[in-house]
């Protein structure tokens, strides 16, 4: 269940990063990802892909920056494609940014993901992993059921409405 918790924790940290980034950049404060849980699954997926990179990558900061950035960029591209094709919505559009690929990914964020890869592998994950291993299995199963229910409900709402605003049930 460690990979499940990696996904959940890094999705939550990604949600926090999105909130801070939106506040700092004056961007949209919309919830990204799920209806109820404060998670951005694209971050969880990206972090898991980074953590799956071979040990020789983690041992070389330049390789981790490059391949970690590419792994997270691939997760971002796939998430955007899934949202567009399967659910009929778009959470972001990078058309106006340098190196944009179909508005789904761009160079500035790919470089940011590379930098975040370094922090994830060298600092955050070594601190969190021992704590994640202590989570009891019944708690993990309850969390999995909750996340799955939220994910299915979110997907159904997005597909039906075609608008990410349906996830904003809260007031500011």
């Amino acid at each position: 269940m460690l990979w499940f918790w990696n996904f959940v924790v890094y999705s939550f940290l990604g949600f926090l990063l999105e909130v801070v980034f939106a506040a700092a950049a004056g961007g949209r404060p919309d919830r990204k990802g799920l209806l109820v849980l404060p998670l951005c699954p694209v971050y969880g997926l990206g972090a898991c892909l980074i953590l799956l990179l071979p040990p020789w990558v983690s041992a070389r900061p330049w390789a981790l920056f490059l391949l970690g950035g590419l792994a997270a960029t691939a997760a971002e591209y796939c998430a955007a494609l899934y949202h567009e094709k399967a659910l009929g919505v778009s959470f972001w559009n990078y058309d106006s940014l340098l190196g944009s690929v179909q508005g789904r990914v761009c160079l500035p964020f790919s470089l940011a993901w590379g930098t975040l890869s370094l922090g994830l592998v060298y600092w955050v994950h070594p601190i969190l992993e021992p704590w994640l291993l202590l989570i009891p299995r019944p708690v993990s199963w309850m969390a999995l059921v909750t996340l799955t229910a939220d994910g299915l409900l979110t997907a159904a709402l997005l597909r039906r409405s075609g608008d990410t605003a349906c996830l904003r049930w809260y007031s500011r």
Side-chain angles (χ1 to χ4, degrees), residues 90 92-106:
S90 178
W92 61 85
N93 185 334
Y94 299 144
D95 276 336
S96 63
L97 296 177
L98 178 68
S100 173
V101 177
Q102 300 170 331
R104 296 180 183 123
V105 295
C106 66

Side-chain angles (χ1 to χ4, degrees), residues 95-130:
D95 276 336
S96 63
L97 296 177
L98 178 68
S100 173
V101 177
Q102 300 170 331
R104 296 180 183 123
V105 295
C106 66
L107 183 59
F109 282 103
S110 294
L111 295 173
W113 303 145
T115 303
L116 289 170
S117 297
L118 297 171
L120 171 70
V121 170
Y122 296 141
W123 184 61
V124 177
H125 192 66
I127 291 170
L128 291 180
E129 184 177 31

